Amino acid sequence: MWGIIRQKVAAGGGSPVARIRPVVSNLRNYSSAVKQMMVREALNSALDEEMSADPKVFLMGEEVGEYQGAYKISKGLLEKYGPERVLDTPITEAGFTGIGVGAAYYGLKPVVEFMTFNFSMQAIDHIINSAAKSNYMSSGQISVPIVFRGPNGAAAGVGAQHSHCYAAWYASVPGLKVLSPYSSEDARGLLKAAIRDPDPVVFLENELLYGESFPVSAEVLDSSFCLPIGKAKIEREGKDVTITAFSKIVGLSLKAAEILAKEGISAEVINLRSIRPLDRSTINASVRKTNRLVTVEEGFPQHGVGAEIWCAFFPPAWLISSNKL
């Protein structure tokens, strides 16, 4: 770890605080599937390819190395890249998250894995006060290219302290980008975008999706594939009602749309993909077509992601009365 940090991080003398623009593919419809891929395989391949392409990328967290990840997301990476780039840490989220943020200050690109995002509460000061605020507090001079990733939300047979959805929590923080993939295409394309982004990204996966397989196309499997941050995907087109969702709730929404179709109701299902920034234009265009909106998520009933979406269409009365629209 320290050997990496001591290295010069920018070949040719580039500044470690230079803001590097992420490379994203053109927006295309990836419909011609060539194989099935599990979400954990998509995440693993994205990590592998980004680590291979950029020596500044490294992974750290509990059991990511010798054990190959609690959910086998980092399978084979220790053997391939060695212990200086795949670092097993003690059970000290505040400690290794702080080290990761410091490494990002230096120009490296850490990927910090939380065994569950509930444990990120132990490190929230580093995530918010150190990572999220540094670019603003430095007037744009300091970039913090770090990814915080791991399973988020409820899973099977776990307690309440392992079941929170943190999408709305972290999406309320200026300076953070928050992504939440549903399919293998999402997982692969969004993780690549997160690693290439110059700003801190909270990457919310779902334990129950790791073993699910989704069709992927040749474009998705290409090493240059990358999804744009801030762009939603219409998973199913419809004309009667718009349903927005993210992560595993997209699957439930698609099942609901199938049931509605049997009753003659055509539902459009939007996979948000990006929680912050939120693709308001895609949602807006859909609701203008359907005139109805249902937001679905697994978070708390109050102050959720859905509240942010609804506010865009039904603003508070004080805004209307004060003519600030």
Side-chain angles (χ1 to χ4, degrees):
M1 168 67 186
W2 302 115
I4 297 176
I5 294 179
R6 283 192 293 267
Q7 294 172 0
K8 290 186 179 296
V9 296
S15 168
V17 298
R19 294 179 66 79
I20 303 167
R21 294 188 179 276
V23 179
V24 296
S25 63
N26 294 327
L27 298 182
R28 291 171 289 183
N29 223 340
Y30 299 101
S31 56
S32 54
V34 297
K35 65 170 290 187
Q36 293 282 324
M37 174 180 272
M38 287 193 295
V39 169
R40 65 163 48 90
E41 294 171 335
L43 293 168
N44 177 268
S45 65
L47 279 168
D48 186 10
E49 290 173 7
E50 293 305 303
M51 291 179 73
S52 177
D54 190 342
K56 295 192 290 292
V57 178
F58 70 94
L59 174 67
M60 65 189 308
E62 296 155 0
E63 299 185 348
V64 299
E66 294 289 346
Y67 192 66
Q68 305 192 79
Y71 301 97
K72 299 299 177 273
I73 305 303
S74 54
K75 184 177 180 180
L77 298 183
L78 175 62
E79 182 180 3
K80 185 171 183 179
Y81 297 103
E84 282 205 331
R85 295 187 64 195
V86 181
L87 290 83
D88 280 322
T89 68
I91 306 176
T92 53
E93 283 79 12
F96 66 73
T97 304
I99 291 172
V101 173
Y105 282 171
Y106 201 82
L108 300 179
K109 298 181 179 180
V111 179
V112 175
E113 177 179 308
F114 296 116
M115 198 173 290
T116 164
F117 248 92
N118 297 265
F119 299 163
S120 72
M121 294 293 96
Q122 300 290 328
I124 198 165
D125 179 57
H126 293 300
I127 297 171
I128 295 177
N129 282 323
S130 296
K133 296 180 180 179
S134 290
N135 187 255
Y136 165 76
M137 293 176 68
S138 68
S139 297
Q141 297 180 72
I142 298 178
S143 295
V144 189
I146 188 170
V147 178
F148 306 102
R149 54 155 296 270
N152 170 72
V158 298
Q161 74 272 38
H162 291 72
S163 300
H164 294 309
C165 175
Y166 287 93
W169 280 50
Y170 284 118
S172 68
V173 180
L176 291 179
K177 294 175 182 176
V178 181
L179 307 178
S180 190
Y182 162 60
S183 65
S184 298
E185 177 184 314
D186 292 353
R188 184 168 156 77
L190 291 175
L191 185 54
K192 282 174 163 285
I195 294 172
R196 298 177 191 184
D197 199 272
D199 298 311
V201 179
V202 172
F203 197 85
L204 304 173
E205 301 153 13
N206 188 277
E207 179 183 337
L208 297 178
L209 287 176
Y210 284 143
E212 285 202 27
S213 293
F214 293 87
V216 291
S217 66
E219 293 93 337
V220 174
L221 294 173
D222 190 275
S223 61
S224 64
F225 175 72
C226 190
L227 288 171
I229 292 176
K231 182 63 180 176
K233 179 184 179 183
I234 298 177
E235 296 282 353
R236 179 186 178 118
E237 293 189 355
K239 58 184 178 61
D240 296 325
V241 60
T242 298
I243 302 175
T244 64
F246 59 92
S247 191
K248 69 183 179 71
I249 306 302
V250 175
L252 297 178
S253 297
L254 289 170
K255 290 179 182 178
E258 292 177 5
I259 295 172
L260 290 172
K262 295 176 182 178
E263 300 177 9
I265 300 171
S266 174
E268 183 151 292
V269 178
I270 298 178
N271 172 9
L272 295 177
R273 283 179 166 172
S274 177
I275 310 302
R276 184 185 183 112
L278 194 62
D279 187 359
R280 299 176 187 273
S281 60
T282 294
I283 301 169
N284 192 299
S286 178
V287 175
R288 287 180 182 276
K289 177 176 64 174
T290 65
N291 293 307
R292 299 174 182 86
L293 172 65
V294 177
T295 67
V296 190
E297 62 186 291
E298 62 173 313
F300 296 125
Q302 188 167 323
H303 299 115
V305 175
E308 183 71 17
I309 296 172
W310 274 101
C311 187
F313 295 98
F314 302 99
W318 69 268
L319 278 176
I320 299 173
S321 61
S322 60
N323 294 317
K324 291 187 177 181
L325 289 181

